[in-house]
Amino acid sequence: MSVEQSTAPPVAPGNRPGVLARMRGTEIRNLGLVAVLAVLVVIGAATSENFLTGDNLENILVSSSVIGVVIVGATFVIIGGGIDLSVGAIVALASVWATTLATQSYGPWMMALCALLVGAGAGLINGLLIAYGKLVPFIVTLAMMVTARGLAARIADNRTQLVTEQPIKDLAKSDVLGIPLLVIILAVVAIAGWVLLNRTTFGRRVFAIGGNEEAARLAGIDVRLNTALLYVLSGSCCGIAAIMLLARTTTGSSTHGNLYELDAIAAIIIGGTLLSGGRGTIVGSILGVLVFTVITNIFILNNLATETQNIAKGLIIVAAVLLQRRANRS
Amino acid sequence: MDKLTLDRRRLFAGTGLLGAGALLAACTSNEPDAAPVASTQAVSSGGNDAAGQEVVIGFSAPAADHGWIGAITTKAEEEAKKYPDVDFQAVEGSNDVNQQISQVETLISRKVNVLVILPFDGNALTEVGIKAMEAGIQVINLDRVFSSPRGARTWIGGDNYGMGAAAGYYLAQQLTAKGVKDPVIAEVQGIADLPLTQDRSKGFEEALATAGFKVSNKVSAQFTVESGQQVTSNLLQAAPKLDGLWNHDDDQGLGVLAAIEQAGRDEFIMVGGAGSKNMMDLIKADSGVMKATVTYPPSMAASAVKLARLVGQKKGMSDLVELGVPASITLTSETITKENVDEYLSLGFES
């Protein structure tokens, strides 16, 4: 029941229904998001001649890439029935740790490794406390959020640390066959996430744990180990995002990743993932991020005040959730 | 270390307010041999620096999560350390006005002699300022203004309107000199709903208007590097060709510059705000869009501590004929360009 695949209605052989009826609920919802995106693209193109330029579309994708990577990891956690409020703070901590003089003097690879290890390590602490310490995810990750940001500020001594390694800075400007490297990183992480979620035993266990933890345990799943792994995965994604942010901003700072936790939850929810766990898709979450990035872009292209933008975002979240409830009932 | 402190103290005895700030900045900066320029000539201080009656100074400011605020806190602490007759009691910085009010109340109940308060929000901290004043504790209001003059004995702070005006005049003058007609001018604000941001924008617009120019694109960031990068990358798409750009804040400026570099843009001139060391280095190098920055010096915190000491010791400012410290001191916002950057380098703060 909890597994996504099982929500598809059984189809009697020889009685092939129409295309829409054959699609699963999540795919219909993703189609709805694609429709929303299409409407936004039409609005963007109609209100600004600069919207449909290659440069601008590239800008939208690159802008989505950092938070996009964070969201892939956070989607796993939410499908698994948990929540990770510490993603923004872990991004900040990983960025600051990677830009300390000690790590910068060993070059770009050491910086990247450092960011990854800090992200995975913070995720591991979250995971151990939640899975083996039996503490509530909300509380543990809230504590991590405050602690990691404090630690980041302490390490950086409240300064913004400049990235001195040119290879890291070049990440933001490089492309492969015209596609920006940051966008490729997001694509790789998203595809890896999709495969892990939909084509592996681990993925099926995540759905099972999120749907009904007790049933999953009775079915012989090591709930604790798999739950802990979810947070390690989320933290590792934050580490990757931190490396990308180092390139984008050419700095490490304790203010990086500000409010990522809320942006992530908003995008994941409008992407059709249930906050109570057990159901969700990576594609939906990525589409959710794109919706928000396109709105920001349209607002700035049209020189509109950014406060109004937040109202628009809020309304979209409510509308998306209302639509999902209708879709679920029918 | 002791010898260094002593030497420093001897140097300071006898320098003016600005000179002291400049030297202080030189000592805190990471440049080992940054020679303090135009600040070492001895000015008669009229004996104000001589040890006097013991003064307990309480200090409260927002959380040091930002280069400028960080510099405010360290400059206040370091200034206080120079006076053996000052007992400096700082509370942990907070961006929660409710918490800042409680912290100031704690300082009041500890019966400090003088309070230096940089409120996160001037309006919200006014009442507790009045409470302190009525309890007989003199308050020095630093930078963000209380809504009532009853809340403070003296206000000292920067000139936000003047900062915008300085940036506007500089851009207007540069673009006019180049003979640009109808320039496209963009503005990257800090947090849009703070009064200080609105004052900066007003000054900028009014100064541009004197040349018949206006702001074409305006975006707001959050004073952070990441937000500066994010809004600027979109802004540059909105304006495929720019003539001038003013960024309100040099801390978020690192992100603004990263976005400009990543977009491969260099057809315009950029002016910064506040006067960070990073930006001054770029202005000095003169290798990119960054041509000037308008100051909003964090050394004002050191000045506030000096004023608090004078108020506590019932002294005046020796360059004025008045018996007491004035009620209000507004610092000027100066424009730093390649021509004068060497004079200011020692005042720059690390982002």
Side-chain angles (χ1 to χ4, degrees), chain B residues 10-345:
Chain B
R10 202 169 52 212
L11 262 173
F12 274 121
T15 48
L17 246 155
L18 180 80
L23 267 174
L24 180 56
C27 294
T28 55
S29 83
N30 290 332
E31 294 294 300
D33 296 318
V37 187
S39 56
T40 42
Q41 72 268 33
V43 178
S44 165
S45 66
N48 265 351
D49 279 351
Q53 160 198 351
E54 164 109 345
V55 181
V56 184
I57 299 176
F59 180 83
S60 170
D65 54 3
H66 176 263
W68 190 84
I69 297 269
I72 280 279
T73 311
T74 36
K75 282 181 193 300
E77 276 169 7
E78 294 186 357
E79 189 65 25
K81 273 197 204 123
K82 287 193 276 166
Y83 297 97
D85 52 4
V86 166
D87 175 4
F88 188 71
Q89 303 195 358
V91 289
E92 190 63 29
S94 170
N95 288 346
D96 172 5
V97 285
N98 184 42
Q99 198 183 343
Q100 197 179 12
I101 290 170
S102 335
Q103 287 173 336
V104 172
E105 280 172 341
T106 316
L107 288 171
I108 294 173
S109 60
R110 268 196 237 159
K111 302 209 188 318
V112 297
N113 303 120
V114 190
L115 269 167
V116 176
I117 305 175
L118 198 169
F120 181 74
D121 179 332
N123 292 341
L125 268 292
T126 304
E127 280 307 314
V128 76
I130 293 174
K131 187 179 163 189
M133 289 291 283
E134 286 176 352
I137 296 170
Q138 308 279 331
V139 176
I140 308 294
N141 177 198
L142 178 56
D143 199 38
R144 298 181 189 172
V145 194
F146 287 154
S147 58
S148 162
R150 288 194 292 129
R153 159 70 177 76
T154 289
W155 175 81
I156 177 169
D159 182 1
N160 285 297
Y161 179 91
M163 194 183 172
Y169 282 129
Y170 178 80
L171 274 180
Q173 180 215 341
Q174 294 293 311
L175 296 174
T176 311
K178 276 201 215 165
V180 186
K181 296 268 175 285
D182 261 333
V184 184
I185 296 171
E187 186 182 355
V188 182
Q189 298 177 317
I191 300 170
D193 54 8
L194 289 179
L196 66 93
T197 299
Q198 290 146 17
D199 289 347
R200 288 177 190 188
S201 286
K202 191 157 177 277
F204 187 55
E205 279 160 21
E206 291 182 3
L208 284 178
T210 59
F213 298 161
K214 59 180 177 34
V215 178
S216 321
N217 297 79
K218 185 153 56 177
V219 289
S220 63
Q222 298 290 320
F223 285 142
T224 66
V225 182
E226 188 187 356
S227 64
Q229 200 280 343
Q230 188 80 7
V231 298
T232 310
S233 67
N234 282 304
L235 171 77
L236 293 175
Q237 298 301 324
K241 197 194 157 293
L242 272 175
D243 296 293
L245 182 149
W246 180 42
N247 164 50
H248 285 208
D249 180 81
D250 282 346
D251 283 304
Q252 72 187 18
L254 291 169
V256 173
L257 281 172
I260 292 169
E261 204 208 330
Q262 281 148 25
R265 298 276 292 268
D266 60 1
E267 81 283 5
F268 57 89
I269 54 174
M270 173 173 162
V271 180
S276 77
K277 186 161 178 309
N278 313 62
M279 294 303 158
M280 287 195 211
D281 288 341
L282 288 171
I283 292 166
K284 192 176 159 88
D286 193 24
S287 53
V289 293
M290 192 70 200
K291 298 297 180 203
T293 188
V294 289
T295 59
Y296 201 80
S299 56
M300 65 175 72
S303 301
V305 169
K306 289 195 97 162
L307 289 179
R309 177 176 167 271
L310 292 184
V311 165
Q313 296 178 340
K314 300 192 172 55
K315 288 180 183 162
M317 292 168 69
S318 48
D319 280 339
L320 302 178
V321 289
E322 316 307 325
L323 290 178
V325 167
S328 144
I329 298 168
T330 309
L331 306 177
T332 54
S333 181
E334 285 153 276
T335 310
I336 303 177
T337 62
K338 194 177 63 171
E339 281 71 37
N340 63 1
V341 64
D342 286 330
E343 282 172 51
Y344 289 93
L345 260 176

Side-chain angles (χ1 to χ4, degrees), chain A residues 50 53 55-56 59 63 158-162 166 172-173 245 247-251 253-258 260 293 296-297 300-301 303-304 306-307, chain B residues 64-67 70-71 74 192 216-220 224-226 229-231 233-235 237-240 251 254-255 258-259 261-262 278 350-351:
Chain A
N50 298 325
T53 58
D55 264 1
N56 189 52
N59 171 51
S63 290
N158 290 310
R159 296 280 194 268
T160 304
Q161 306 193 116
L162 295 179
Q166 196 58 37
K173 286 181 285 184
L245 204 52
R248 275 280 269 175
T249 63
T250 69
T251 60
S253 163
S254 61
T255 59
H256 280 354
N258 190 27
Y260 272 20
T293 323
T296 307
N297 184 258
I300 294 182
L301 287 188
N303 214 6
L304 299 171
T306 32
E307 304 92 76
Chain B
D65 54 3
H66 176 263
T74 36
S216 321
N217 297 79
K218 185 153 56 177
V219 289
S220 63
T224 66
V225 182
E226 188 187 356
Q229 200 280 343
Q230 188 80 7
V231 298
S233 67
N234 282 304
L235 171 77
Q237 298 301 324
D251 283 304
L254 291 169
E261 204 208 330
Q262 281 148 25
N278 313 62
E350 297 281 334
S351 284

Side-chain angles (χ1 to χ4, degrees), chain A residues 59-180:
Chain A
N59 171 51
I60 291 173
L61 289 177
V62 174
S63 290
S64 314
S65 61
V66 178
I67 180 92
V69 167
V70 170
I71 277 170
V72 170
T75 303
F76 273 85
V77 170
I78 292 184
I79 291 175
I83 191 130
D84 193 344
L85 297 178
S86 61
V87 287
I90 295 180
V91 169
L93 181 61
S95 82
V96 163
W97 213 309
T99 49
T100 54
L101 277 180
T103 32
Q104 287 214 43
S105 35
Y106 289 99
W109 289 108
M110 185 54 84
M111 289 171 70
L113 184 69
C114 204
L116 263 180
L117 287 181
V118 169
L124 181 65
I125 295 172
N126 277 338
L128 290 178
L129 287 171
I130 291 164
Y132 295 91
K134 294 277 168 231
L135 298 178
V136 187
F138 188 90
I139 304 294
V140 171
T141 58
L142 183 71
M144 178 58 79
M145 173 173 109
V146 185
T147 317
R149 231 181 248 292
L151 191 56
R154 173 55 59 92
I155 291 173
D157 195 18
N158 290 310
R159 296 280 194 268
T160 304
Q161 306 193 116
L162 295 179
V163 173
T164 50
E165 289 292 336
Q166 196 58 37
I168 297 260
K169 294 192 216 172
D170 288 345
L171 256 181
K173 286 181 285 184
S174 320
D175 59 70
V176 179
L177 303 171
I179 304 169

Side-chain angles (χ1 to χ4, degrees), chain A:
Chain A
M1 186 56 230
S2 57
V3 179
E4 178 193 1
Q5 278 81 345
S6 67
T7 54
V11 178
N15 182 17
R16 291 184 63 83
V19 179
L20 264 179
R22 269 189 285 135
M23 290 176 75
R24 292 196 285 270
T26 47
E27 286 175 0
I28 295 172
R29 268 191 300 275
N30 287 347
L31 208 63
L33 274 176
V34 172
V36 171
L37 264 180
V39 170
L40 285 174
V41 167
V42 171
I43 294 174
T47 54
S48 167
E49 56 189 24
N50 298 325
F51 183 81
L52 279 182
T53 58
D55 264 1
N56 189 52
L57 297 178
E58 191 180 306
N59 171 51
I60 291 173
L61 289 177
V62 174
S63 290
S64 314
S65 61
V66 178
I67 180 92
V69 167
V70 170
I71 277 170
V72 170
T75 303
F76 273 85
V77 170
I78 292 184
I79 291 175
I83 191 130
D84 193 344
L85 297 178
S86 61
V87 287
I90 295 180
V91 169
L93 181 61
S95 82
V96 163
W97 213 309
T99 49
T100 54
L101 277 180
T103 32
Q104 287 214 43
S105 35
Y106 289 99
W109 289 108
M110 185 54 84
M111 289 171 70
L113 184 69
C114 204
L116 263 180
L117 287 181
V118 169
L124 181 65
I125 295 172
N126 277 338
L128 290 178
L129 287 171
I130 291 164
Y132 295 91
K134 294 277 168 231
L135 298 178
V136 187
F138 188 90
I139 304 294
V140 171
T141 58
L142 183 71
M144 178 58 79
M145 173 173 109
V146 185
T147 317
R149 231 181 248 292
L151 191 56
R154 173 55 59 92
I155 291 173
D157 195 18
N158 290 310
R159 296 280 194 268
T160 304
Q161 306 193 116
L162 295 179
V163 173
T164 50
E165 289 292 336
Q166 196 58 37
I168 297 260
K169 294 192 216 172
D170 288 345
L171 256 181
K173 286 181 285 184
S174 320
D175 59 70
V176 179
L177 303 171
I179 304 169
L181 198 54
L182 293 182
V183 176
I184 293 176
I185 296 178
L186 170 62
V188 169
V189 171
I191 291 169
W194 186 88
V195 170
L196 190 61
L197 189 61
N198 299 302
R199 292 288 179 271
T200 65
T201 336
F202 174 70
R204 279 199 297 281
R205 287 175 180 157
V206 172
F207 280 114
I209 293 170
N212 185 335
E213 199 180 311
E214 185 59 17
R217 198 181 57 80
L218 292 175
I221 296 174
D222 187 341
V223 173
R224 287 190 298 189
L225 175 67
N226 285 289
T227 303
L229 285 177
L230 284 177
Y231 291 90
V232 175
L233 190 66
S234 175
S236 306
C237 283
C238 295
I240 299 174
I243 300 167
M244 297 161 79
L245 204 52
L246 290 181
R248 275 280 269 175
T249 63
T250 69
T251 60
S253 163
S254 61
T255 59
H256 280 354
N258 190 27
L259 294 183
Y260 272 20
E261 52 285 344
L262 297 186
D263 289 348
I265 292 170
I268 289 170
I269 287 176
I270 78 159
T273 295
L274 277 188
L275 205 47
S276 50
R279 202 185 66 205
T281 63
I282 302 282
V283 179
S285 299
I286 299 285
L287 288 171
V289 176
L290 284 175
V291 166
F292 286 133
T293 323
V294 171
I295 292 174
T296 307
N297 184 258
I298 292 175
F299 265 76
I300 294 182
L301 287 188
N302 289 296
N303 214 6
L304 299 171
T306 32
E307 304 92 76
T308 333
Q309 183 183 311
N310 290 335
I311 303 175
K313 286 182 180 174
L315 293 178
I316 286 183
I317 297 172
V318 174
V321 175
L322 280 176
L323 282 175
Q324 280 173 25
R325 286 219 338 224
R326 282 182 72 97
N328 289 348
R329 248 179 289 156
S330 55

